[in-house]
Amino acid sequence: MITALNTQFGISGQLSFCEDASGLIVAEINNALGSASLCLQGAHLMTWQPKSQSVPVVWLSKDAKMAAGKSIRGGAPVCWPWFGAHATQSSFSGHGYARTVPWQVIESGTEPNGATRLTLRLVESEQTRAQWPHDCNVDLTVIVGDTLRMEMTTENTGTSDFVIGEALHTYLQIGDIGSVRVTGLEGCEYWDKVGGSNLRKQDGAISFAGETDRVYINSAAECVIHDEQLKRRIHIAKSGSLSTVVWTPWVEKANKMGDMGQPDGWREMVCVESANAIDNLVTVAAGTRHTLIVEYRAESV
Ligand code: TA6
């Protein structure tokens, strides 16, 4: 499998596939502009560090567990075909099944600027069709360079429309949660999921002093994470997405999760997720496709 992948999709000196100790297959990308790693299970981008940054931009927990059928803590989990809890089936996993099932590589290449491109497609099975009985393809393209671009396309190849919720649930690496601000969502309405679910309006920049779990709706805005400690800004520009989820578990939730990296790995990450959730679910008409795109860029200040 590894040999076949490297023969068909490897790019010498830039992209290779290897098997992790857990038996999962990982794509390792390293070019003149940046480096990344991506687990084929879940098409789960785990790390990204542009050569221009001395600290990774995408955060991966030191206690992230790699195991078949289990989600990996950190990176950019693919939430699809629903976000959060399933609407009616409490036994279905939160954030959908896409991040814990096999994906196959369908294309790789080098962009004109030297960035590395890799496209994967979710592999359907009896298990996936039991939870999602629709004819469709879902592909993820990642382009790894001085920026990180991710394109998630849902193609409805069937004869009836269907509705999806989705997110690229990306964990960004920061100096300390107490000294970052997120701008771009000023004046936006959001569902505050801490202590129930209340609709509120964002007043000014977002800062953090406790568990924060918000789904901002009806916004295509670019967000910026201002990181005082690491002296950098992380720009998050998106299209095909009208929800932005901002999340930190804070200490109590983090300790319960057990894979956030002790003693306080949670302080070095914040999730700013490009999504379509709650009020912004997407109807993909029969025979059409929908693409969510997000591009991350880090600038030192
Ligand atoms: O995106 C925020 C959130 O929905 C939180 O409520 C929390 O559950 C987080 O996702 C992590 O979810 P996970 O299933 O990856 O542990």
Side-chain angles (χ1 to χ4, degrees):
M1 176 74 163
I2 298 292
T3 309
L5 276 169
N6 281 314
T7 305
Q8 191 173 3
F9 299 107
I11 304 171
S12 71
Q14 208 183 107
L15 166 61
S16 64
F17 299 87
C18 58
E19 191 164 313
D20 172 82
S22 64
L24 294 180
I25 295 174
V26 175
E28 295 290 350
I29 293 169
N30 191 12
N31 58 50
L33 302 168
S35 63
S37 61
L38 181 142
C39 182
L40 267 53
Q41 172 180 276
H44 193 135
L45 181 114
M46 298 190 287
T47 60
W48 171 58
Q49 183 171 351
K51 292 290 194 285
S52 61
Q53 292 293 314
S54 57
V55 173
V57 178
V58 170
W59 177 86
L60 182 68
S61 169
K62 294 185 183 67
D63 291 345
K65 298 192 178 44
M66 302 276 288
K70 297 278 180 240
S71 62
I72 300 166
R73 181 64 62 197
V78 172
C79 302
W80 190 93
W82 61 84
F83 180 81
H86 187 274
T88 57
Q89 303 293 330
S90 57
S91 62
F92 289 4
S93 47
H95 291 331
Y97 55 78
R99 61 178 171 166
T100 55
V101 298
W103 292 54
Q104 63 185 5
V105 179
I106 57 173
E107 194 270 338
S108 67
T110 305
E111 295 285 290
N113 70 350
T116 306
R117 185 185 62 252
L118 183 62
T119 300
L120 301 99
R121 174 165 293 176
L122 186 146
V123 177
E124 292 192 306
S125 65
E126 250 176 72
Q127 287 73 13
T128 64
R129 293 190 74 89
Q131 298 195 19
W132 186 253
H134 303 286
D135 293 328
C136 68
N137 289 319
V138 53
D139 293 351
L140 180 75
T141 294
V142 296
I143 299 176
V144 174
D146 187 51
T147 64
L148 171 67
R149 183 179 173 93
M150 301 182 77
E151 305 177 1
M152 178 155 68
T153 296
T154 299
E155 180 186 15
N156 184 341
T157 55
T159 54
S160 51
D161 302 358
F162 56 63
V163 176
I164 58 170
E166 58 183 350
L168 289 170
H169 189 301
T170 307
Y171 293 68
L172 288 311
Q173 180 138 358
I174 55 176
D176 182 85
I177 190 70
S179 64
V180 299
R181 289 178 304 119
V182 176
T183 58
L185 293 165
E186 294 78 359
C188 285
E189 286 192 305
Y190 65 91
W191 289 101
D192 183 349
K193 291 163 62 184
V194 176
S197 187
N198 301 293
L199 190 60
R200 304 187 200 284
K201 192 167 192 150
Q202 182 57 37
D203 177 19
I206 304 165
S207 55
F208 304 93
E211 180 189 357
T212 306
D213 191 351
R214 302 174 182 176
V215 180
Y216 290 84
I217 53 174
N218 307 323
S219 166
E222 173 171 337
C223 291
V224 181
I225 301 172
H226 301 258
D227 188 336
E228 254 173 62
Q229 197 167 313
L230 293 184
K231 294 186 178 19
R232 72 182 182 188
R233 285 193 279 259
I234 300 176
H235 297 260
I236 303 166
K238 64 176 190 175
S239 66
S241 158
L242 286 178
S243 312
T244 300
V245 184
V246 177
W247 176 62
T248 171
W250 216 254
V251 56
E252 217 175 295
K253 276 266 172 78
N255 287 341
K256 278 190 195 138
M257 292 162 76
D259 59 358
M260 290 297 286
Q262 292 304 333
D264 50 13
W266 61 275
R267 297 199 66 95
E268 296 172 359
M269 53 66 63
V270 65
C271 279
V272 177
E273 308 159 36
S274 307
N276 286 300
I278 311 183
D279 305 60
N280 300 129
L281 298 183
V282 175
T283 297
V284 186
T288 69
R289 60 178 61 157
H290 154 77
T291 300
L292 182 160
I293 298 175
V294 57
E295 189 146 9
Y296 305 93
R297 176 171 63 86
E299 64 165 330
S300 300
V301 293

